[in-house]
Amino acid sequence: MTSQHADNVPVIEDWSHLLDGKVAVVTGGADGIGKGISLLFAAHGAVVEIVDHDESLLKETVEAIQELGAKAYGFVADVRDADQVTEFKHEVMKRHATVDVLVNNVGDYRPLVRFLDSSPDSWKEMYDINLHHVFLVTHAFLQLMIDSGGGSIINVHSVEGMRGYPGDPVYGAMKAAVNHFSTCLASGYGRNGIRVNGMGVDLTQTTQVDYISGYEDVEHLWESWAPVGRLGWPEDQARVALFLASDLSAFVTGHNIPVDGGSHAGGGWFFSPDAKRFVNRPKGL
Ligand SMILES: NC(=O)c1ccc[n+]([C@@H]2O[C@H](COP(=O)([O-])OP(=O)(O)OC[C@H]3O[C@@H](n4cnc5c(N)ncnc54)[C@H](O)[C@@H]3O)[C@@H](O)[C@H]2O)c1
C-alpha cells in the first residue's frame, strides 16, 4: 500500500555527515580510488576499516584520516586469500558489532595480455584480482550486514565491464561479472535491507592508471576524449560512492553507474577540435 507519508524514508539529520555512526569496510583503500573513498567516508563520520596489501601506504592513509580527527583502522592482507579475509573479518568484529557499508574496490588490468597470447594461468590471475575477492569479501561480511539491520555494498568495477573492451576481453569479462553480481545480489537481498550497486570507473588518475605521465603534450585533447572535457580524480569516484553508501540512495539498488566523465555514454563519438563538432569517423569531415 502506498503511503501519503514518507515515514519509511530514512531521515537525514546532518547533510554534512552523511555516514555518521556507520562502519565502512573498504578494500584497497590505501591508494587511488579506494583512498579517495576512505577519506571522504571518514570525513562524513564513518569509521573506516581499510584492508590493503601495501603496509606503508595503508599506514599513511590511516594516519591521514586520523589527522583529520576522523576514525580509521588498517589491516594488511591480500584479499585474494580466503584465510586472510577471514582474519580481517575477525579483526573488524573485535571492534564493531555491525558493518553498514562494504566497498569492494580492489582490481587491476595488469599485466595486460592480448587474448591470443593469454593462457589459463593469465585468465586465473585476472579472475583472482578482479572477481574472486569480491565473492570472498562479500561472503565474509554479508550475514553480519544482514544481522546489523542492512547496509550498502558498492562494487567498484570498470566501464570496460559495461562496453566492449578490445584490449583484454578477459579483464572486460571479469568486470562485467562484478557488474552483474551486483545486480543479482541486490535482487536477492533487498528484502534483508541490503542494497548493492556498482560503479563503472574510467578515466581516473591513480597510481594504476596514470593519465598524466607521458601525456603532458596532449592535455588539449581531453575535450575529445571525455564528454566532460577533463581527467577524473579519486574524489570524483568517492562522491558517487558516498551517494551509494548513504541514505541519499536509499531507493537505489541493483544498478551500475558509469563514473567515467561520460566516456560510456559518448562511446563512438569524438569531439574534433579541427571540425569543432562531434565526429564518428577518424577524420573530422
Ligand atoms: N583508475 C581508473 O581509471 C580505473 C579504470 C577502470 C577501473 N578501475 C578500477 O577501480 C578500482 C581501483 O583502481 P585504482 O585505479 O584506484 O587502483 P590503484 O592500483 O591505484 O589502487 C588499488 C589499491 O588496492 C590495493 N590492492 C591491490 N591489490 C590488492 C590485494 N590483492 N589485496 C589488498 N589490496 C590490494 C593497492 O595496494 C592499492 O592501495 C579497481 O577495481 C580498478 O580495476 C580504475
Side-chain angles (χ1 to χ4, degrees):
M1 198 175 89
T2 50
S3 163
Q4 294 298 314
H5 304 285
D7 52 5
N8 53 2
V9 175
V11 175
I12 295 178
E13 308 241 343
D14 182 351
W15 290 73
S16 61
H17 286 86
L18 290 167
L19 300 178
D20 241 357
K22 304 285 187 195
V23 176
V25 167
V26 181
T27 75
D31 198 12
I33 291 165
K35 178 178 180 178
I37 291 172
S38 300
L39 285 165
L40 191 62
F41 280 14
H44 273 267
V47 179
V48 187
E49 291 281 352
I50 305 174
V51 57
D52 202 289
H53 67 175
D54 189 318
E55 189 168 6
S56 70
L57 284 175
L58 182 59
K59 190 166 174 285
E60 266 177 43
T61 300
V62 168
E63 283 172 3
I65 291 173
Q66 289 167 345
E67 276 162 25
L68 296 172
K71 275 197 183 152
Y73 298 91
F75 188 83
V76 181
D78 184 333
V79 290
R80 293 171 295 186
D81 183 290
D83 292 340
Q84 294 183 43
V85 168
T86 303
E87 276 175 45
F88 169 57
K89 178 191 168 180
H90 289 149
E91 195 62 28
V92 170
M93 287 178 73
K94 277 186 208 161
R95 278 189 285 273
H96 317 283
T98 66
V99 165
D100 307 285
V101 179
L102 165 61
V103 183
N104 287 306
N105 161 73
V106 165
D108 210 311
Y109 71 94
R110 302 167 299 185
L112 194 155
V113 184
R114 303 294 176 201
F115 188 66
L116 284 174
D117 301 323
S118 68
S119 66
D121 285 346
S122 68
W123 306 334
K124 170 81 168 54
E125 230 176 293
M126 278 294 115
Y127 168 75
D128 285 345
I129 194 63
N130 289 297
L131 181 57
H132 184 67
H133 65 82
V134 177
F135 297 154
L136 275 180
V137 180
T138 305
H139 195 261
F141 284 98
L142 182 60
Q143 190 63 55
L144 181 63
M145 293 178 77
I146 291 171
D147 295 345
S148 315
S152 171
I153 299 175
I154 300 158
N155 293 324
V156 179
H157 50 83
S158 170
V159 77
E160 312 307 0
M162 305 175 84
R163 69 181 179 194
Y165 175 44
D168 181 353
V170 176
Y171 170 83
M174 296 307 155
K175 292 303 198 188
V178 178
N179 171 336
H180 196 55
F181 176 62
S182 310
T183 305
C184 294
L185 201 68
S187 62
Y189 291 96
R191 282 157 199 79
N192 301 90
I194 303 291
R195 294 187 299 108
V196 192
N197 293 284
M199 292 169 49
V201 177
D202 197 16
L203 302 181
T204 301
Q205 177 64 25
T206 62
T207 307
Q208 181 182 144
V209 192
D210 184 357
Y211 289 95
I212 294 178
S213 311
Y215 291 82
E216 294 83 354
D217 54 333
V218 290
E219 174 71 20
H220 63 288
L221 290 179
W222 274 104
E223 65 175 327
S224 341
W225 287 0
V228 299
R230 69 166 172 88
L231 173 63
W233 296 92
E235 174 84 21
D236 289 307
Q237 301 295 333
R239 290 177 186 196
V240 178
L242 177 65
F243 165 72
L244 293 174
S246 73
D247 285 338
L248 285 178
S249 60
F251 208 50
V252 179
T253 195
H255 292 288
N256 289 277
I257 305 178
V259 189
D260 61 353
S263 64
H264 185 47
W269 285 92
F270 300 89
F271 185 76
S272 161
D274 293 338
K276 298 209 174 357
R277 62 184 174 79
F278 288 93
V279 294
N280 67 346
R281 59 200 73 193
K283 205 170 156 201
L285 297 172

